[in-house]
Amino acid sequence: MENLPQLIADAAEPLPDIDDPAFAEIADRFADAQVVLLGEASHGTSEFYRARAAITRRLIERHGFTTVAVEADWPDAEVIDRHVRQRPAVDLPPPFQRFPTWMWRNREFFGFVEWLRAHNSGLEEGARASFHGLDLYNLNGSIRAVIDYLDRTDPEAAAVARERYGCLAPWRDAPERYGRLAITEGFARCQKAVLGTLRDLLDKQAPLIAASGEDYLDATQNARLVANAEAYYRAMYYGSAESWNLRDEHMFDTLDLLIRAKGGKAVVWAHNSHLGDARFTDMGMEREELNLGQLVREKYGDEARLIGFGTHGGTVAAADDWDALMKVKQVNPSRPDSYERVCHDSGVPRFFLDLRQERAVREALMTPRLERFIGVIYRPNTERWSHYSTAVLPQQFDGWFWFDETRAVEALGGAEEVGGREDTWPFGL
């Protein structure tokens, strides 16, 4: 068989610099999709953020995409959505104050936010692109958002919600402790209460939509987040598979809700571990885990595009442990038995590989190999065990962006000084 790095070099589509307007033209091939999922091999790499921003701009400007959904919490993303769509301001805390702050408080991301606001400013209100979070970690922010909404629309219901959510009050700033207690006591202490508030909101759906529209959607999603987070923090003590599955099911349900509620087409930003089909990695093959990419494929089929991103070396913004300070770390050169190494050995520094069209290289890459995953924690000394998993790349993704040498994101706003919560996934993803 022909040398694999040479096969990749022959099939790869070399890309110009990300700042070159021609870079984003590659996104035109995703134009007929309902949802485009753009990954990242780490949460702290500048090129991944900049490339996703360029591709997303093209999809919004040229191809009618109107929803951007990211691996962030709903209440934090709501602050951004109000900014970019110029929605009425409400009393919300500044976004992305919890560990890992640099994941979204970085110059690359906020450059995209300001572009999106400028783009929307020239459009009618109904045509503006929205921005939303898919994740469920910010339990405290969601509780506050639900109560604030009910204070404005239904003070009696707000009083009931305060009483119900009071069950979680001792743990709102450290919800992992609630999970530990619930397991110890053998029952879900707050499950009935938080589901009751969500059920009440859903029962009042029609009049509240008529009265407050987007605000109702925000409140309902925050109530759903509280209910799912309560289940998540309980499940994390049964083992990683159940809690991981609850988290990714919540992300999928949120994305599906957005697509159904808003219509149009969506772009998603999240880690490769969430967006690459779990059935073709260790996650699904060995650990009985599913993920967002798998669920999107099962629901949307050929209307979905799952796009991974990889690198060989450079620097990355990451911490040694959960709740630790951010550092700019040197990334180890990729392992010889990895997909990253054969991409590096192709000699093409920046390329896109269309895994749906390039049949010869697709077949050659079907032999399982290691693939690197770096989250907000990076431990170079134990990299083989803490950051590599076996995968089948051509089945995991529909396309693959490669940047051989990458650099860390530029953190904003004192990211190194802000703490967070206990790690709820082994790699901090």
Side-chain angles (χ1 to χ4, degrees):
M1 185 184 74
E2 189 176 355
N3 179 274
L4 183 52
Q6 186 60 51
L7 272 176
I8 293 173
D10 292 342
E13 301 176 51
L15 296 170
D17 186 80
I18 296 170
D19 296 328
D20 188 325
F23 174 88
E25 293 174 3
I26 199 76
D28 293 345
R29 70 190 58 200
F30 311 142
D32 61 343
Q34 176 89 41
V35 55
V36 176
L37 288 70
L38 302 175
E40 58 182 357
S42 83
H43 283 317
T45 298
S46 177
E47 285 78 2
F48 300 155
Y49 284 81
R50 290 164 54 217
R52 293 187 300 187
I55 293 164
T56 303
R57 290 196 301 266
R58 181 86 174 189
L59 292 173
I60 290 172
E61 287 181 313
R62 301 290 187 92
H63 303 297
F65 283 70
T66 55
T67 298
V68 181
V70 305
E71 186 186 339
D73 292 315
W74 185 278
D76 297 273
E78 183 188 346
V79 178
I80 303 299
D81 185 58
R82 288 181 179 276
H83 176 68
V84 300
R85 286 202 284 161
Q86 301 173 47
R87 294 170 56 198
V90 296
D91 183 21
L92 292 171
F96 311 126
Q97 296 294 317
R98 301 165 62 255
F99 179 92
T101 55
W102 72 90
M103 181 174 164
W104 296 112
R105 294 182 67 85
N106 63 67
R107 190 170 301 280
E108 293 82 353
F109 172 65
F110 277 97
F112 172 75
V113 168
E114 291 311 298
W115 172 86
L116 188 55
R117 178 178 170 88
H119 169 80
N120 281 339
S121 66
L123 301 174
E124 295 292 330
E125 183 176 348
R128 294 172 185 169
S130 61
F131 184 88
H132 304 281
L134 301 177
D135 221 333
L136 49 57
Y137 282 141
N138 194 349
L139 181 65
N140 197 33
S142 287
I143 288 174
R144 174 178 172 174
V146 173
I147 291 174
D148 286 351
Y149 170 77
L150 291 173
D151 277 337
R152 298 193 304 271
T153 61
D154 190 341
E156 291 184 7
V160 174
R162 280 189 172 87
E163 181 178 353
R164 286 171 172 167
Y165 286 159
C167 176
L168 288 169
W171 302 282
R172 284 197 300 185
D173 291 328
E176 66 281 351
R177 296 178 187 173
Y178 166 74
R180 187 179 299 120
L181 178 66
I183 290 301
T184 301
E185 296 188 358
F187 67 96
R189 291 172 60 104
C190 301
Q191 182 181 34
K192 183 177 180 180
V194 298
L195 287 175
T197 294
L198 174 59
R199 192 176 301 111
D200 286 352
L201 274 169
L202 294 176
D203 287 345
K204 298 176 181 178
Q205 181 171 341
L208 287 175
I209 287 177
S212 54
E214 291 277 358
D215 288 352
Y216 170 78
L217 176 63
D218 287 329
T220 304
Q221 184 54 32
N222 276 306
R224 183 177 285 108
L225 187 153
V226 174
N228 288 345
E230 186 273 338
Y232 172 81
Y233 285 108
R234 279 188 287 113
M236 62 182 283
Y237 287 95
Y238 286 111
S240 63
E242 184 172 354
S243 60
W244 175 274
N245 290 349
L246 281 169
R247 183 184 172 200
D248 273 56
E249 286 170 342
H250 173 84
M251 288 198 282
F252 170 75
D253 289 342
T254 303
L255 175 63
D256 193 47
L257 170 69
L258 286 168
I259 293 172
R260 288 186 286 109
K262 294 177 173 294
K265 300 188 285 188
V267 184
V268 178
W269 296 13
H271 197 274
N272 283 350
S273 59
H274 293 295
L275 298 190
D277 193 325
R279 292 171 294 183
F280 305 104
T281 71
D282 279 348
M283 296 165 59
M285 294 186 289
E286 296 183 8
R287 301 198 298 268
E288 298 184 346
E289 294 171 347
L290 50 75
N291 69 358
L292 175 61
Q294 172 186 340
L295 296 171
V296 168
R297 259 191 184 163
E298 289 173 347
K299 170 70 180 285
Y300 290 94
D302 287 340
E303 294 295 307
R305 299 288 185 277
L306 280 54
I307 311 298
F309 287 65
T311 185
H312 169 70
T315 60
V316 66
D320 293 332
D321 294 290
W322 195 264
D323 207 12
L325 301 180
M326 188 208 84
K327 298 178 181 178
V328 175
K329 298 189 170 196
Q330 194 70 35
V331 177
N332 290 338
S334 57
R335 289 179 55 88
D337 49 354
S338 69
Y339 281 112
E340 287 84 358
R341 179 54 65 91
V342 292
C343 290
H344 170 71
D345 289 346
S346 74
V348 185
R350 187 171 49 245
F351 66 76
F352 178 71
L353 194 60
D354 192 330
L355 295 169
R356 290 162 59 98
Q357 302 298 326
E358 297 294 340
R359 296 187 180 279
V361 75
R362 175 182 170 85
E363 290 302 317
L365 291 172
M366 288 292 284
T367 300
R369 292 175 179 269
L370 293 179
E371 181 183 332
R372 181 159 56 190
F373 300 88
I374 299 173
V376 296
I377 294 169
Y378 181 45
R379 298 179 177 132
N381 292 337
T382 61
E383 189 179 64
R384 168 61 184 90
W385 308 112
S386 54
H387 298 290
Y388 278 95
S389 290
T390 302
V392 183
L393 193 78
Q395 294 178 303
Q396 183 188 7
F397 297 111
D398 299 310
W400 178 252
F401 279 98
W402 177 252
F403 302 92
D404 197 67
E405 189 80 6
T406 52
R407 60 181 174 84
V409 294
E410 184 177 348
L412 296 174
E416 298 87 349
E417 301 174 6
V418 180
R421 293 290 148 242
E422 174 180 311
D423 190 357
T424 50
W425 171 246
F427 305 149
L429 298 178

